[in-house]
Every structure is written in structure tokens, then in C-alpha cells.
């Protein structure tokens, strides 16, 4: 790459979470020598989020800052700075401190939690997305308060796990008929409902919150009139892409607010890329556009962004060793003494294969389409996950009978 071309290009990254930080790192790893500015809305040193619902929340760690020397990396950090708009014609973003010009812009603003209507500003109602959120919730766990968790999704389950570990009385309120209703099918998640009671947490399904009344303690009032006392209420009902600041910019967004990036994570605007929780991308593997709100996507996507940026600057259009961004999505969750992993995308599967009994501590589920694995959920079976993920990546057909035998390694179940 031409040193002169690089030196003339200023890359501005908006968002200092995993996706933004890894984009800066990947640019330097690919030999980019131009100026890189990383802008974050929070005042803290850039940090990793998974420990927030575990070690930080339970007081086992004060923070989870990335072990990266940004000064040595040659990356300018501008923290505690809100970005308010994008003017693509001028190649500028607007911030509270004034406009910032860019040659190349990377949108990595992540997602923001959905708030429970009517609870904004109500004392004792918490979200869990940021380091400050985890710090505010720490004393709740230390004092072993009674807690009501709204939402039995991934975040709700992880917080309930930490709260029970801390000795809190925990009630989880879920509007659907089971945990993880929006993420996985009933035949998979129904057994997971038992995990709550086994660990001393009460799970209420078909339960919608009407209002939260402040007090000492406060009261969560359900639609059916039930009242749940709560020293603290933690809301975990999902997240949406943090793209409100792009309103009026002309950038293409999907109906859910995600930036619609292409197969190399370019947006509809020139010299603007998007990566991580705020961006969807087309998957040839699954024949649809995917929006992946998980850590691994924020780690992997930046490599494609960096390769595309450096290729565009040199006129190569993307390096030969970096093809379209089409990963097998992956995430994990630690809840109620279980390590849960998921790889792939099961929506278009035509066959579900169980490996083991969901009533036991360890089991897994494999989804096939035309005999080929497309997704896998593993509970306490990391070897199944690792081998299944490779089968999904290679689109390798399996023998359903052998694949259903939990004593047979998945790699030995190839058709």
C-alpha cells in the first residue's frame, strides 16, 4: 500500500465498543498508517461487555477495559463525546464539540437497550448495558435486595443467575409462554424454564408489566393485577441498533433501524462502513440478511471492514485474502450453572435432531436443512459446538441417525 495514500486518509470510527476498537486494531494490523480517530460516547476507557453481567456485577472485577495501548497503536481516543449527526456530502460528522471531518467513516455504535414504557426515570428501575449500569446494580446485589427481572431472554437469565449467586430473591417476569421465546423454538426452550426454579428463582410466564410504582420497596404491577414487591427492577427486553444519530443522513436503514451494509460491510453512502450490532449484512450461506447482536460478530466483522478500507484506498477493491463477510453466527451465555453455546441460524431448517436428554445437565440440538447442519445449540457440550460449527461452515451433510446418538462425536456422523 502506498504510504502517501494512507497518510492522506483519515479514518474516523464512531463507537468505542468491541466492533470499533477491533476495527482500529485491524487497520493497524493490515499496515494502515494514516490517522485513526476512535470516538466513544462513554467517558471510560474502551471496555469489553460480557464481564458486565458476571464479574463486574458481582464485584469480582472493577472493570473490563481492553488491554490495548491506543497511544502506541497511534489511535486518537475521543471519549465522552456524543455524535449527533452525519453530513455525507461534507464528509463530516457532528458532535457536541463541533464537526469532525473524515475521509473514511466506520459506524460502530452498537445497540441500545429497549426501555420498559412508562419506567423512564422511575427510581429503582435499571438496564444492564454499560459499565455504569453494572456499577449501579452492584450495591443491589451486595445488599441482597429482592429483584424483579423483566424479560427471560439472554440478559435476563444472566442477571438472574448473578443475583441468585449473590443471595437475592429473584422473580423473572416474561410476557411470552417460555424463556427465550424470540430466539429459539419451544421444543428447545421449554426445558430451560426448569432451570429458574432449580436455582431458586421464580419464573412467571404470560406475565406483562402494567406499571412500576416507586417506593421502598417498589411494586411491579402486572396486567392481571398481581403485585410484586421489588427493591430493584432490571429490564432486559431486547435491544435496537443505536442509529438514531443517522436520521437525515440519507444512509439506508432497514425497518428495525439497522444500517443495511453490503457483503463487505459498505453502506449506501460513499466512504462509510458499518459493523457490529448496528449493521445487518447479506448472508449467502443463509439466503437472507442477518442482524447479529453478539460479541463474536463485533470481533469478526472489523477484519472485513479493515480489508475493504485498505483495498479501497489502494484501488484494489478489497484484498484477495478477505472475501465477503458471511460468518456462521456464534454466541454463548452462562446461566444457572450451565454454559450455553449457539452457532448458525436455524430459521430455515427442516429437521431438528436432539443429542441427549434436555432434562439432564448436558445436551445439544442440531438443526438440518436437506441433511446439512445449519445451526447447533449446545448446553455443556463444547465439543459438539466446535465440531458442529465446522460442519456448518463446510456445509457437510450428516447421517441423522448417527448425529442423534450423543455418544458419537459429530465429526464422526458425517454422511
Amino acid at each position: 500500500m502506498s504510504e502517501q495514500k494512507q497518510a492522506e486518509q483519515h479514518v474516523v470510527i464512531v463507537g468505542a465498543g468491541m466492533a470499533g476498537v477491533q476495527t482500529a486494531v485491524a487497520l493497524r494490523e493490515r499496515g494502515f498508517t494514516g490517522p485513526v480517530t476512535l470516538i466513544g460516547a462513554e467517558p471510560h476507557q474502551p471496555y469489553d461487555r460480557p464481564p458486565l453481567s458476571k464479574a463486574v456485577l458481582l464485584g469480582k472485577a472493577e472493570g473490563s477495559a481492553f488491554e490495548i495501548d491506543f497511544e502506541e497503536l497511534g489511535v486518537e481516543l475521543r471519549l465522552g463525546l456524543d455524535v449527533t449527526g452525519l453530513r455525507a456530502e461534507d464528509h463530516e460528522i457532528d458532535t457536541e464539540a463541533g464537526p469532525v471531518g473524515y475521509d473514511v467513516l466506520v459506524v460502530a455504535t452498537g445497540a441500545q437497550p429497549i426501555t420498559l414504557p412508562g419506567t423512564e426515570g422511575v427510581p429503582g428501575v435499571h438496564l444492564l448495558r454499560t459499565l455504569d449500569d453494572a456499577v449501579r446494580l452492584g450495591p443491589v446485589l451486595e445488599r441482597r435486595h429482592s429483584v424483579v427481572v423483566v424479560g427471560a431472554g439472554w440478559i435476563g437469565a444472566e442477571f438472574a443467575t448473578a443475583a441468585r449467586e449473590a443471595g437475592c430473591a429473584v422473580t423473572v417476569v416474561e410476557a411470552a409462554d417460555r424463556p427465550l421465546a424470540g430466539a429459539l423454538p419451544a421444543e428447545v426452550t421449554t426445558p430451560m424454564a426448569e432451570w429458574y426454579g432449580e436455582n431458586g428463582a421464580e419464573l412467571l410466564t404470560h406475565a406483562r408489566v402494567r406499571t412500576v410504582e416507586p417506593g421502598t420497596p417498589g411494586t411491579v404491577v402486572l396486567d392481571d393485577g398481581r403485585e410484586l414487591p421489588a427493591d430493584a427492577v432490571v429490564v432486559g427486553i431486547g435491544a435496537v441498533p443505536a442509529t438514531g444519530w443517522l436520521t437525515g443522513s440519507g444512509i439506508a436503514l432497514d425497518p428495525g433501524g439497522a444500517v443495511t451494509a453490503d457483503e463487505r460491510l459498505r453502506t449506501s453512502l460513499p466512504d462509510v462502513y458499518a459493523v457490529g450490532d448496528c449493521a445487518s449484512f447479506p448472508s449467502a450461506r443463509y439466503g437472507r440478511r442477518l442482524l447479529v447482536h453478539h460479541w463474536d460478530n463485533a470481533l469478526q466483522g472489523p477484519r472485513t471492514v479493515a480489508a475493504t478500507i485498505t483495498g479501497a484506498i489502494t484501488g484494489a477493491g478489497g484484498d484477495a485474502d478477505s472475501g465477503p463477510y458471511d460468518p456462521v453466527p456464534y454466541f454463548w451465555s452462562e446461566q444457572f450453572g450451565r454454559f450455553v453455546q449457539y452457532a448458525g441460524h436455524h430459521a430455515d431448517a427442516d429437521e431438528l435432531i436432539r443429542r441427549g436428554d434436555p432434562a439432564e445437565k448436558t445436551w445439544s440440538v442440531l438443526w438440518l436443512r436437506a441433511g446439512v447442519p445449519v445451526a447447533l445449540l449446545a448446553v455443556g457440550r463444547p465439543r459438539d459446538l466446535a465440531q458442529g460449527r465446522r460442519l456448518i461452515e463446510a456445509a457437510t451433510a450428516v447421517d441423522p441417525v448417527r448425529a442423534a446418538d450423543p455418544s458419537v462425536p459429530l465429526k464422526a456422523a458425517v454422511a
Side-chain angles (χ1 to χ4, degrees), residues 34 49 76 86 98 103 106 118 167 251 260 299 339 341 356 363 367 369 372 384:
R49 293 190 188 279
E76 179 191 12
L86 164 61
D103 294 298
V106 180
I251 201 168
T260 52
L299 176 68
F339 187 44
Q341 295 172 283
W363 49 276
W367 285 270
R369 186 175 63 225
V372 175
D384 275 8

Side-chain angles (χ1 to χ4, degrees), residues 241-256:
T243 55
W245 65 282
L246 294 168
T247 300
S249 68
I251 201 168
L253 305 176
D254 67 21

